[in-house]
């Protein structure tokens, strides 16, 4: 438990450090290298378009990251009369609800010390549990993080290609880039800044693929109306159309949430009316 609590503090700090390094490299290294002659650069140059795209992706990733942390799990311990470490699962397959009952997959997290409705998992990179209140923002965070990593990967490869006068037309060139770079770095033929960028390329690739894969897997669970916690515990799921499952997570204003980081206001109001 002590290791998990330590990871719960270190992982968000690690993510913020990676985000800061990525932002610095993009703004002060990659984008300026795209400008050849600033006096003759047109208004809609590739550098400006790339900078605007990166800022858009970064703002959405960071905004949804903040909303995931801000929309913390609901503290339902008093209403459900739960003891510490207890797990309550109520059968709502018939659609009925009684006072003090819990939604399916309600779970008490010892790291958060809170009860989460429709608990999916505990995310160490946000230091928070993912449930009914912040699931949509978490998916948007994973989506835009993967896109920002892909954008940084492409920009970094373009920078390395120009700096080292090499081509990535051959797919094996990227796979053999790291071992060749390490040998050149220790021989003094490669600068430390270029070596750092090459290491970041593989880090962006790993984070981007992980976030994209996790986002796709999470979307499949949402279409089925399941959570990772329900799958892990083998809990039954109420059969509903996939459109209702999507609307339950993304709400009616899904397009607005796709463009800018916002809370699911429509569903929160509906929940207050039901209470």
């Amino acid at each position: 438990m002590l290791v998990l609590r330590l990871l719960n503090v270190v992982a968000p700090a690690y993510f913020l450090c990676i985000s800061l390094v990525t932002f610095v490299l993009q703004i002060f290294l990659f984008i300026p290298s795209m400008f050849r002659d600033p006096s003759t650069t047109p208004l809609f140059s590739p550098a400006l378009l790339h900078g605007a795209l990166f800022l858009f992706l970064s703002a959405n990733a960071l905004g949804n990251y903040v909303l995931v942390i801000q929309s913390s799990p609901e503290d339902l311990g008093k209403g459900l009369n739960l003891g510490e470490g207890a797990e309550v699962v109520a059968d709502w397959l018939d659609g009925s609800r009684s006072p003090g009952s819990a939604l399916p997959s309600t779970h008490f997290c010892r790291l958060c010390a809170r009860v989460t409705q429709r608990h999916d998992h505990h995310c160490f990179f946000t230091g928070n549990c993912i449930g009914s209140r912040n699931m949509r923002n978490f998916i948007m965070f994973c989506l835009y993080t993967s896109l920002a990593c892909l954008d940084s990967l492409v920009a970094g490869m373009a920078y390395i290609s120009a700096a080292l006068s090499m081509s990535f037309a051959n797919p094996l060139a990227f796979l053999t880039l790291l071992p060749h770079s390490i040998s050149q770095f220790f021989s003094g033929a490669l600068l430390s800044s270029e070596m750092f960028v090459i290491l970041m390329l593989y880090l962006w690739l790993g984070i981007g693929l992980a976030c994209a894969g996790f986002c796709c897997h999470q979307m499949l669970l949402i279409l089925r109306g399941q959570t990772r916690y329900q799958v892990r515990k083998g809990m039954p799921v109420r059969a509903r159309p996939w459109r209702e499952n999507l609307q339950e997570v993304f709400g009616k204003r899904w397009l607005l949430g796709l463009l800018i980081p916002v809370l699911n206001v429509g569903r929160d109001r509906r929940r207050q009316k039901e209470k």
Side-chain angles (χ1 to χ4, degrees):
M1 181 61 65
L2 180 60
V3 177
L4 294 179
R5 292 185 182 275
L6 181 62
L7 182 61
N8 203 42
V9 176
V10 174
Y14 173 77
F15 172 78
L16 293 177
C17 289
I18 295 297
S19 302
L20 180 61
V21 170
T22 302
F23 183 82
V24 171
L25 289 177
Q26 283 272 13
I27 300 299
F28 297 100
L29 189 63
F30 298 159
I31 296 179
S33 65
M34 297 179 185
F35 289 96
R36 296 183 179 180
D37 187 2
S39 61
T40 60
T41 300
L43 179 61
F44 297 101
S45 64
L48 290 177
L49 294 178
H50 172 77
L53 176 62
F54 173 73
L55 292 178
F56 171 76
L57 298 177
S58 301
N60 275 275
L62 183 60
N64 284 285
Y65 180 81
V66 173
L67 291 179
V68 169
I69 300 177
Q70 181 181 358
S71 304
S72 57
E74 297 179 351
D75 191 2
L76 303 177
K78 296 181 180 180
L80 298 176
N81 296 322
L82 299 178
E84 183 177 358
E87 297 182 3
V88 176
V89 177
D91 187 5
W92 276 31
L93 299 180
D94 56 353
S96 62
R97 178 170 62 176
S98 59
S101 63
L103 286 171
S105 72
T106 299
H107 175 68
F108 179 86
C109 179
R110 295 184 179 181
L111 294 176
C112 296
R114 292 177 180 177
V115 177
T116 309
Q117 288 190 353
R118 290 193 63 82
H119 175 82
D120 190 85
H121 69 285
H122 181 89
C123 178
F124 289 98
F125 286 99
T126 60
N128 204 358
C129 277
I130 308 301
S132 58
R133 295 190 62 182
N134 53 10
M135 174 60 73
R136 186 185 70 170
N137 295 116
F138 177 75
I139 294 178
M140 291 294 101
F141 160 69
C142 292
L143 174 62
Y144 280 106
T145 299
S146 63
L147 293 178
C149 288
L150 177 61
D151 179 82
S152 301
L153 177 64
V154 174
M157 291 176 63
Y159 173 80
I160 292 297
S161 177
L164 302 182
S165 300
M166 61 177 302
S167 175
F168 289 98
N170 187 1
L172 296 179
F174 183 80
L175 298 178
T176 59
L177 176 62
L178 183 59
H180 289 325
S181 301
I182 293 177
S183 61
Q184 292 179 2
F185 175 75
F186 285 105
S187 63
L190 191 65
L191 298 178
S192 58
S193 59
E194 297 172 348
M195 185 64 197
F196 180 75
V197 172
I198 292 174
L199 293 176
M200 289 299 299
L201 292 180
Y202 290 91
L203 185 61
W204 288 326
L205 178 63
I207 295 177
L209 291 178
C211 290
F214 195 90
C215 183
C216 293
H217 179 256
Q218 203 69 43
M219 285 299 301
L220 290 177
L221 292 178
I222 291 176
L223 291 174
R224 297 170 56 184
Q226 286 183 312
T227 62
R228 293 171 60 91
Y229 180 75
Q230 288 176 324
V231 174
R232 187 170 67 252
K233 295 295 182 178
M235 300 169 56
V237 180
R238 181 176 58 182
R240 293 189 306 177
W242 61 271
R243 293 185 177 179
E244 294 185 8
N245 295 329
L246 283 179
Q247 185 175 353
E248 182 181 7
V249 175
F250 293 94
K252 296 181 179 180
R253 303 179 181 180
W254 61 271
L255 184 58
L256 181 63
L258 187 63
L259 299 177
I260 58 176
V262 292
L263 291 173
N264 200 345
V265 180
R267 199 184 66 184
D268 292 340
R269 290 180 180 178
R270 184 179 62 186
R271 182 185 301 171
Q272 292 177 359
K273 291 181 181 180
E274 290 179 355
K275 290 182 179 180

